Amino acid sequence: MASRLVPKVTSKEGETQCKEKHVVLLSPVGKLKISGCETGLHEIRLPKMSVLPSGRAAAACEVCDGAEEMTEPLEQCTAWLHAYFCEPARMATLPVPAFHHPLLQRDSFTRQVLWTLLRDVKFGEAVSYKQLAELAGNSRAARAVGGAMRSNPYWQAEELKTSREGASKCE
């Protein structure tokens, strides 16, 4: 799979610490492209024109590209997404994959918002930007939360986590 232009986490000496790997997961919402390294996930994205291939069950959730180079965080992420789509009762028993993205390495409001969302918003809950700003410690920062969510490299996973009202079983 071709590499993407993703900001790399670098050491103080300026050397890249990550060897980024990619995996594509065929899901009920289309192909999810997941990237990460040995340390953690870098990004989860749904391509704009993601279409399920004909002949595949729409409710399936399987790795269709990159399985040979999966790191532990990529394996954990694909297991989490499979459980989300196919076995929601198992989600509580699965570890949350490690995250390794520059936005989460710097001390910033964006980092605080993203960690607050991950830590405090439970599966199936929906929160407004105003509520998330309050949870992150700044009740007047709803617009800044919108900016943080716009730059969220894991937005698909978080949107799935916060917007899903019910789960259906995979066929």
Side-chain angles (χ1 to χ4, degrees):
M1 190 168 217
S3 63
R4 299 183 48 252
L5 294 176
V6 175
K8 302 285 187 206
V9 178
T10 57
S11 66
K12 291 180 182 176
E13 295 81 34
E15 293 180 29
T16 300
Q17 296 175 341
C18 303
K19 180 164 169 100
E20 191 171 301
K21 305 283 187 173
H22 304 270
V23 66
V24 177
L25 185 73
L26 184 60
S27 77
V29 297
K31 289 183 178 181
L32 295 172
K33 293 188 177 185
I34 308 164
S35 65
C37 65
E38 292 291 337
T39 306
L41 296 178
H42 289 206
E43 184 176 41
I44 301 170
R45 67 185 178 108
L46 178 67
K48 290 181 183 177
M49 297 302 293
S50 183
V51 178
L52 290 172
S54 60
R56 299 271 188 151
C61 194
E62 61 190 47
V63 174
C64 63
D65 190 15
E68 65 282 348
E69 58 180 32
M70 284 184 30
T71 62
E72 184 176 353
L74 289 176
E75 288 176 4
Q76 290 175 338
C77 183
T78 57
W80 189 92
L81 289 167
H82 182 272
Y84 173 82
F85 288 115
C86 301
E87 305 171 77
R90 277 194 48 225
M91 290 191 62
T93 66
L94 294 174
V96 175
F99 297 109
H100 191 236
H101 191 277
L103 283 174
L104 298 176
Q105 306 304 312
R106 296 186 293 254
D107 187 24
S108 66
F109 184 68
T110 296
R111 175 183 181 214
Q112 181 146 348
V113 167
L114 297 178
W115 279 118
T116 299
L117 180 62
L118 179 66
R119 183 185 63 241
D120 296 345
V121 179
K122 303 300 179 229
F123 177 75
E125 284 184 357
V127 296
S128 67
Y129 288 170
K130 181 177 179 8
Q131 291 168 321
L132 190 50
E134 290 169 357
L135 289 171
N138 188 344
S139 61
R140 298 184 58 184
R143 290 180 64 139
V145 167
M149 294 305 294
R150 186 173 41 255
S151 64
N152 183 354
Y154 312 108
W155 72 268
Q156 281 89 6
E158 292 302 331
E159 189 167 295
L160 291 173
K161 178 181 162 189
T162 60
S163 66
R164 184 171 176 141
E165 291 181 14
S168 60
K169 297 281 183 193
C170 290
E171 296 175 358

